[in-house]
Amino acid sequence: MKRIALTICLLIAVAVSAQENKLLRGFDGGMMVHTGYLSGNLDAVGYQATGAPLGIGGVIRLHFGGHFMVGSEGYVSTLSQQSNGSYLKYGWGGILANFYTVLGRFQPYAGLTLGGGAMTTLLMFEEPASAWEPVDGTCYHKQGFMAIDPFVGCDFIVAGPMHLTLKVDHLCAISESKLLPHGPRVYIGFLFYH
């Protein structure tokens, strides 16, 4: 919580300073949903996890100059497994920077997010005998991670401040706790510019 408060204070201080020096050109923010394809082996339990995650999250960015943005983003992504309530859930976020250009009604961009989060795993290998009975063969684990998340995307300028965005990323763990499974995610959402 302290890190989030410090990050917000730092972003506000940078924005105020940039506004005074006429560097700040505006800001944007919005929500995105995502899916993709993830795959990886959970060595601790000898389980191969694969599938299409579903998730939601958002982004807020400050615009500097004509082609640079700095901000923050955060998402939750769930990869359901075995059709019995088992899942792998990622919650992550961080500080981002990206470059963009405007080509007519299209605004392609590329950038990088540095941050981290946590992965929660719940795997049930057996079915309960009846409702409300304990399930043997259940594994639960939660671990934090630091990550780097490169991304590319393109906005379509709908009208004035409203943009549709399409983005692809690949979340990569950089900490000792390896993030598995991994793979590309595709995001689609609405952004509002000011």
Side-chain angles (χ1 to χ4, degrees):
M1 195 63 175
K2 290 179 184 178
R3 289 182 185 167
I4 293 171
L6 182 61
T7 300
I8 291 170
C9 290
L10 182 62
L11 285 174
I12 290 171
V14 168
V16 168
S17 174
Q19 181 107 25
E20 290 173 359
N21 295 319
K22 304 295 186 203
L23 293 175
L24 183 62
R25 301 291 177 113
F27 62 91
D28 72 273
M31 299 293 290
M32 291 178 252
V33 294
H34 65 267
T35 189
Y37 182 77
L38 304 182
S39 176
N41 190 33
L42 302 174
D43 293 330
V45 291
Y47 181 77
Q48 178 73 25
T50 60
L54 293 174
I56 190 166
V59 63
I60 185 166
R61 300 175 293 200
L62 302 174
H63 305 183
F64 295 96
H67 301 282
F68 185 65
M69 297 179 187
V70 175
S72 181
E73 66 179 347
Y75 301 94
V76 173
S77 185
T78 303
L79 178 61
S80 296
Q81 295 291 288
Q82 304 187 128
S83 301
N84 67 356
S86 296
Y87 63 84
L88 286 80
K89 184 179 287 187
Y90 299 81
W92 80 97
I95 302 298
L96 68 84
N98 69 270
F99 290 94
Y100 70 95
T101 190
V102 178
L103 305 169
R105 297 185 75 160
F106 294 94
Q107 184 176 307
Y109 58 89
L112 187 69
T113 300
L114 295 174
M119 181 178 81
T120 303
T121 304
L122 175 65
L123 295 173
M124 296 179 285
F125 296 105
E126 297 177 16
E127 295 293 327
S130 62
W132 296 102
E133 290 293 319
V135 179
D136 293 329
T138 298
C139 298
Y140 175 85
H141 182 68
K142 184 173 184 176
Q143 70 180 41
F145 60 88
M146 297 297 294
I148 186 169
D149 186 28
F151 59 85
V152 296
C154 187
D155 286 3
F156 176 72
I157 303 168
V158 178
M162 186 174 171
H163 291 211
L164 286 173
T165 192
L166 180 67
K167 178 177 91 164
V168 177
D169 77 350
H170 193 288
L171 188 66
C172 306
I174 56 175
S175 59
E176 288 299 317
S177 56
K178 296 300 182 196
L179 176 65
L180 288 175
H182 58 87
R185 288 180 176 86
V186 178
Y187 300 73
I188 187 166
F190 289 99
L191 301 175
F192 295 93
Y193 280 63
H194 178 72

